[in-house]
Amino acid sequence: MTTKRIVFTRPDGGVTVIVPIPQPGETEAQTLARCSARAVPAGTPFVVLDETALPSRRWRNAWRLSGTTIMHHLPAAKAIRRGELLSERDTRLARVRHREQEAREDGQNALATQLRTRAVTLRQIEAQADTDLTALTDLAALAAYRPTAFSQED
């Protein structure tokens, strides 16, 4: 098994990484030539990198190829993080709405009102996240970011 990877930029700007699998008796150079001919679109430039040159897969959809280096495109990473946060928000919101409905059915109007207020707070996370994510300047801060409204259990 080779530690080399075939890397190229897709039309959407993202990066594709091909893991070449050698055929029996094939040299590494032959494997790379065969796999690149089959996997890389005609006319598309590509590079061969060692697997150790690949960054963490955490932000893989934000990778951009610059020469022979894979860089992170911060705006794309922010969009990924925003999607993750909104998905978590939606899960929490569904749980709160369900609990609110149960509270109303059980005649617990005070609890239902508290839960309604919590639902409003959760819906506002999108605007808060958009503002906060704009200010972040590196991947570590982006990965660590959590809206303050997530500090409360739902």
Side-chain angles (χ1 to χ4, degrees):
M1 183 80 127
T2 181
T3 62
K4 301 295 183 191
R5 302 295 181 257
I6 300 165
V7 182
F8 65 92
T9 300
R10 297 187 306 268
D12 69 357
V15 173
T16 294
V17 177
I18 306 295
V19 179
I21 306 296
Q23 297 294 322
E26 200 174 47
T27 67
E28 183 176 69
Q30 291 170 327
T31 299
L32 292 169
R34 178 182 50 79
C35 291
S36 63
R38 290 183 69 186
V40 179
T44 301
F46 67 93
V47 296
V48 175
L49 302 175
D50 193 271
E51 67 183 351
T52 59
L54 302 179
S56 162
R57 293 176 55 95
R58 169 69 173 88
W59 305 107
R60 184 170 183 167
N61 287 335
W63 288 359
R64 299 298 181 266
L65 186 60
S66 177
T68 59
T69 304
I70 296 177
M71 311 288 286
H72 290 99
H73 186 248
L74 191 59
K78 288 179 179 184
I80 291 166
R81 186 66 180 130
R82 181 181 189 275
E84 294 168 349
L85 294 169
L86 294 183
S87 178
E88 181 178 349
R89 185 269 323 255
D90 292 347
T91 300
R92 288 170 174 255
L93 192 54
R95 194 166 39 239
V96 166
R97 286 179 175 157
H98 178 74
R99 289 179 52 214
E100 178 190 0
Q101 181 180 356
E102 286 179 337
R104 288 204 191 285
E105 289 171 358
D106 292 343
Q108 298 175 332
N109 293 332
L111 176 59
T113 300
Q114 287 176 337
L115 291 167
R116 170 56 82 197
T117 301
R118 178 67 179 145
V120 168
T121 300
L122 287 170
R123 281 194 301 275
Q124 293 169 344
I125 282 177
E126 186 169 4
Q128 177 193 357
D130 286 345
T131 299
D132 294 347
L133 289 173
T134 300
L136 300 178
T137 59
D138 63 73
L139 293 175
L142 192 58
Y145 172 72
R146 295 199 42 84
T148 55
F150 281 178
S151 60
Q152 180 180 339
E153 274 304 310
D154 292 308

